[in-house]
Amino acid sequence: MAENESAIQSSLQEHRIFPPPSAFSAKAHVKSMDEYKRMWRESIDQPEEFFGRMAQDLHWFKKWDKVLDWKSPYAKWFVGGKLNVAYNCLDHQIDQGRGDKTAILWESEALDASGKPEVRKITYRALRDDVCRFANGLKKLGVKKGDRITIYMPMVPEAAVAMLACARIGAAHSVIFGGFSSQAISDRVEDAKSNLIITADGGVRRGGDVPLKENVDNALQTTSLVKKVIVLKRTGKPVKWVEGRDIWWSDVIAGQSADCPAEPMDAEDMLYVLYTSGSTGKPKGILHTTAGYLLSCQMTCKYVFDLRDEDLYWCSADIGWVTGHSYVVYGPLAAGTTTLMYEGAPNFPDFSRFWAIIERHKVNVFYTAPTAIRAFMRAGRELVDKHNLSSLRLLGTVGEPINPEAWMWYHQVIGHGKCPIVDTWWQTETGAIMITPLPGATPTKPGTATLPFFGIDAAVVDRTGKELPANQGGLLVIRKPWPSMLRGIFNDPDRYARQYWTDVPGMYFSGDGARRDEDGYFWIMGRVDDVINVSGHRLGTMEIESALVSHEYVAEAAVVGMPHDLKGQGIAAFVTLEAGRQPSENLKKELIAWVGKQIGSLAKPDQIRFTDSLPKTRSGKIMRRLLKELATSGEVKGDTTTLEDFSVLARLKEQDEK
Ligand code: PRX
């Protein structure tokens, strides 16, 4: 755990309260705080009854024998139950009369001469057929239950088809965000031991092409595991072709039947692995399983987004992140909703694109990230005001703390003061939303994710696990198992217990600091470990450091987060060079590009500072806390007693002042 934990303190003073609009509450799934409290209490005191009842909304091939088997820190949910996630998201919806309902509504980034995008509406029945054909094609290529399939795709419906096809036949997917580099692909392929990649010739982003196939080709120069690459034609740009390895998507589905029986999966069978940054140099593969994950996704969609059959719902996340898994694909489909997928960038052709989409399709529920909201604020409200957003009834945010100013803008300018805002706290590891308002019940305050969802026993504690009094900053933990909790770290079973359950003995430690106010509301104060949150995306400082030191000129690097107006946190890198190498502006640029190449553009440092040495403790540990202070305020006021060489700080400050 990071040394800066003791520095947690909260200066946030926010007193505005927004009760849910009564017309909203009247129709909501949970209509009052009393109802929320009653349900939450039952979910904590009698989780087996509560979740056993909730799970009846899902389709089971075989009912479970036991709801929960908990041997801390290992949980099994719905032991003995058999079900299939794709069956639940498709066939089960069709059986309930949603066959002709649009499951996925997709909009292209490119606009035609009259300013119109390409729009595809895929019904639940058509989506099932597409999934079955592709699943049969995968089987023909030899894919079996338990295999790991890598998906590196743009935001097109076929990305969801690929995920659901894996789920249908019991293969686990490992989706890699399209913004990650070749190196990131080969690392993940190796770790997941994946021998098939599904990709596209390219992706469309901000009017340009993302060379997905080329990135895969480059990645496969450093791993020999991959035997087949399925390529969807999206941009039509020429790609290199490796005979015998590469196969077009259209050839995979050619002649395949639209009937593919769903594999009855054990409740605890693996559904997917998703890599995320932690406090070491390499991302870790977070493992999610079948029943509990699906239930939490479906339940949170129903209760947090308060979804109804007539709703058009849009989560703007990319499928490469957990938000895309849970709230673009699995949750909304399992809840029988129409989920909108937008292919491209929020600022193409300008920053009014999201509002044009909402107006065009009459979106009712919109879920996005604070970093996007801040970018829209900066672009100006004129871009919003020329669109009719009256279809909106609920707004959501995720990914990082939302500053009250951005919350108020979202509320007033986008929601016209009538839409509740659900600020949802959760993580890749938690699988689904954990702390959140229920929009018909919870009075909201700008900047807080408010109260725990059903079954979530969240608390703010000290290192011994003792709960802290109101308004005292501490560690955000979860004290009881919940259905969608991660089941482990792929390839590294021991790390799971060590990483999450030992910092605060017997409790899941999230890595976040928080405080609860006098109403019990949780105010998330950000990571207290060596993870930073850039534009709502998690990056390990060690990961960026390893990328930097892999450059031949770099001797040592220390990376810290610093406040950033748009991104929430920016990246500052302190770098010492190998003997004989000279700092220069060109080298800065080269190192920034180097990190982009090693990890992906999102990891590019905002600042590189050359220094002749880094502040260290006597035992040689880099004191990132001091660097963070320096990057944040230009000064170091905190405790420096463990610092080995005081002159280092003076020199760093001098360089800062230059
Ligand atoms: O620091 C918290 C922040 O995002 C981290 C999880 O990142 P990731 O696993 O990439 O998942 C992001 C999407 C679920 C958390 O540890 N975070 C997420 N949501 C919020 C948040 N911080 C404050 N408020 C939130 N609503």
Side-chain angles (χ1 to χ4, degrees), residues 274-277 286 321-324 327 367 370 397-402 422-433 435 447-449 476 508 510-513 522-529 531-533 536-539 569:
L274 180 60
Y275 286 84
T276 189
S277 298
I286 302 299
W321 306 107
V322 74
T323 309
Y327 296 110
Y367 189 34
T397 74
V398 60
E400 56 183 308
I402 181 164
V422 287
D423 171 358
T424 62
W425 177 87
W426 59 293
Q427 311 179 291
T428 307
E429 290 86 343
T430 70
I433 294 168
I435 301 181
T448 163
L476 176 59
Y508 170 85
S510 62
D512 279 343
F522 287 82
W523 295 76
I524 313 297
M525 285 141 58
R527 305 286 307 196
V528 296
D529 54 7
V531 171
I532 49 183
N533 199 323
H537 300 314
R538 230 162 106 165
L539 288 164
Q569 278 191 298

Side-chain angles (χ1 to χ4, degrees), residues 526-587:
R527 305 286 307 196
V528 296
D529 54 7
D530 294 328
V531 171
I532 49 183
N533 199 323
V534 179
S535 302
H537 300 314
R538 230 162 106 165
L539 288 164
T541 50
M542 290 263 284
E543 227 176 292
I544 307 171
E545 288 164 7
S546 332
L548 282 166
V549 294
S550 70
H551 188 283
E552 58 172 330
Y553 286 14
V554 176
E556 233 182 353
V559 167
V560 294
M562 58 176 197
H564 189 286
D565 279 354
L566 280 182
K567 301 184 191 178
Q569 278 191 298
I571 303 169
F574 294 81
V575 170
T576 63
L577 296 176
E578 293 284 357
R581 302 294 183 187
Q582 294 309 318
S584 69
E585 284 307 309
N586 271 345
L587 182 55

